[in-house]
Amino acid sequence: MNNSYLARARQQITDPQILAVVAARRAKQLAAGGRPMIKCDSENLLDVALLEIAEGLLTYEFADEAAEADAAVVEELSAE
C-alpha cells in the first residue's frame, strides 16, 4: 500500500474505519473487473482505490441516513 495515497485519501475521508470500508469495497469492484477511474502506476488495486478517493472520485453515503432523508421528504410532501 502506498502511504502517500493513504495520506491523501485521509484528507477526503477522515474516519479511518469508513476509509477502510470504502477503499476495500472499491478494490473488490476493481478485482471483479471494474474499470479504474484514474491512471495509477501501481498494479495494487487498493492503491488504485485510495488514489480514486484522494482525487475525490469516490464518495460514500450511509443508507440509513439516506432512507431517513427520503422519509422526511415524503412526510413533507404528504403534509402539503
Side-chain angles (χ1 to χ4, degrees), residues 44-74:
N44 184 332
L45 298 178
L46 186 56
D47 283 348
V48 176
L50 287 171
L51 189 55
E52 289 177 347
I53 293 167
E55 294 295 324
L57 298 173
L58 287 179
T59 60
Y60 69 95
E61 147 181 327
F62 290 109
D64 294 337
E65 290 179 3
E68 290 174 6
D70 289 343
V73 170
V74 169

Side-chain angles (χ1 to χ4, degrees), residues 4-61:
S4 66
Y5 294 163
L6 177 60
R8 289 177 53 199
R10 279 186 171 168
Q11 292 175 352
Q12 296 292 326
I13 301 177
T14 56
D15 187 317
Q17 292 175 334
I18 294 172
L19 177 59
V21 170
V22 172
R25 285 187 179 183
R26 179 59 180 151
K28 188 175 181 179
Q29 289 175 347
L30 293 168
R35 296 185 67 170
M37 295 185 283
I38 196 163
K39 287 188 177 187
C40 183
D41 295 335
S42 176
E43 292 182 19
N44 184 332
L45 298 178
L46 186 56
D47 283 348
V48 176
L50 287 171
L51 189 55
E52 289 177 347
I53 293 167
E55 294 295 324
L57 298 173
L58 287 179
T59 60
Y60 69 95
E61 147 181 327

